Amino acid sequence: MEELRGTERLAATFAALKGEGKRAFIAYVTAGDPDLETTRELVLTLERKGASIIELGVPFSDPVADGPVIQEAAGRALAAGTTLPKVLETVRQLRRETSIPIVLLTYYNPVLRFGLSRFAREAAACGVDGVIVADLPAEEGDGLRQPLDESGLALIPLAAPTSTPERIRLIAEKARGFIYCVSLLGVTGMRADLPPDAAALLERVRAMTDVPLALGFGISTAEHAAIVAPQCDGVIVGSAIVKLIAKNLDNRPQMLDEVGAFAQALAAAVG
């Protein structure tokens, strides 16, 4: 596994889990919240406690797909001086300690300003494996997908309950790594109940592709994760983890303990 990188590392991770009858627990944290050293420790803690893939959010000033919990995390990260180059450098440092797949979740504007080809090259050089661009439709993704493909990185598309069959077919054709299935309409955030449309969306996407499907948005508890896991290849949990980080901003050891315990419960539920 250690010699694989990028799209290949993601594919190998899903294949290995499938071979064991398991699914991926994909843990999200906002890079730089409250600082990048804490992010490094959180990533290593999440891996030790059972996360299969790490999703690192690149803080952005206009995170239209995110709810209040992750918006506030982005605000804290930006206030601490977190930038895209610093996030990439953090991934580079993490690669000295871990080979867990790392996916960046970002918006298109920071990547465009950085330069599409330069972003792909530097992300690959730092050890990033895939990229999710929350506001980049599959129809408009070729400009970024090409340099990412050339660098061996996955551009991971999103499918939503409102996606038409034609759009899901296009998403399936363009997908690399996995498809991020958005369980509900609206923004990220914790919900008391599971979205009713999630199973139908997974069925519609699965009918068109064998690419792994990961379900996110609104999955807030281990109980939620246990219910949806049998329907997909991976479960993404973000806001509930970020809320634990926010709760313990003044006590890093307690933050790591609480995030680790929650991650362990989620990993067991997804497994």
Side-chain angles (χ1 to χ4, degrees):
M1 183 72 67
E2 284 77 11
E3 68 275 11
L4 297 178
R5 307 181 70 175
T7 305
E8 290 183 346
R9 178 153 42 198
L10 287 166
T13 297
F14 279 105
L17 289 167
K18 186 175 182 179
E20 298 172 5
K22 297 180 178 179
R23 295 92 182 170
F25 162 42
I26 304 173
Y28 169 95
V29 295
T30 300
D33 173 34
D35 56 67
L36 287 166
E37 174 54 27
T38 302
T39 297
R40 188 189 69 80
E41 293 195 35
L42 283 165
V43 168
L44 298 176
T45 297
L46 288 163
E47 180 185 24
R48 282 197 302 273
K49 297 300 183 179
S52 313
I53 296 171
I54 300 296
E55 193 180 300
L56 271 186
V58 178
F60 180 52
S61 58
D62 189 21
V64 295
D66 290 314
V69 172
I70 294 181
Q71 284 188 17
E72 290 170 8
R76 290 190 294 270
L78 290 170
T82 305
T83 61
L84 177 55
K86 290 181 180 179
V87 175
L88 293 176
E89 178 57 30
T90 299
V91 176
R92 186 195 302 275
Q93 293 172 11
L94 277 164
R95 281 293 171 237
R96 299 170 186 155
E97 303 174 87
T98 177
S99 60
I100 190 170
I102 296 177
V103 172
L104 298 186
L105 192 151
T106 184
Y107 289 84
Y108 192 56
N109 187 270
V111 176
L112 184 63
R113 281 189 298 167
F114 197 81
L116 303 184
S117 295
R118 178 189 170 206
F119 171 74
R121 287 194 308 272
E122 295 195 16
C126 290
V128 171
D129 298 302
V131 181
I132 303 165
V133 183
D135 56 350
L136 181 63
E139 296 87 342
E140 300 173 20
D142 286 347
L144 177 58
R145 187 177 301 103
Q146 181 176 344
L148 288 177
D149 278 348
E150 291 171 356
S151 296
L153 303 191
L155 180 58
I156 297 155
L158 295 100
T162 52
S163 297
T164 64
E166 293 75 18
R167 194 146 199 276
I168 290 176
R169 186 172 294 106
L170 177 68
I171 289 167
E173 291 173 358
K174 302 285 187 180
R176 309 284 192 274
F178 64 91
I179 296 175
Y180 190 137
C181 294
V182 177
S183 68
L184 48 78
L185 301 178
V187 297
T188 61
M190 295 179 291
R191 308 291 198 278
D193 300 311
L194 283 170
D197 297 332
L201 172 64
L202 289 165
E203 287 179 10
R204 292 199 295 136
V205 182
R206 174 58 69 218
M208 296 192 184
T209 183
D210 292 327
V211 174
L213 308 183
L215 185 70
F217 277 48
I219 300 169
S220 310
T221 67
E223 290 74 19
H224 287 173
I227 292 170
V228 301
Q231 305 168 34
C232 53
D233 303 295
V235 177
I236 303 168
V237 179
S239 294
I241 295 173
V242 174
K243 189 170 183 179
L244 286 178
I245 294 169
K247 174 188 167 191
N248 295 289
L249 290 174
D250 297 327
N251 189 335
R252 186 191 293 184
Q254 185 167 315
M255 174 197 295
L256 296 172
D257 285 347
E258 292 195 13
V259 169
F262 185 47
Q264 192 167 27
L266 289 167
V270 170

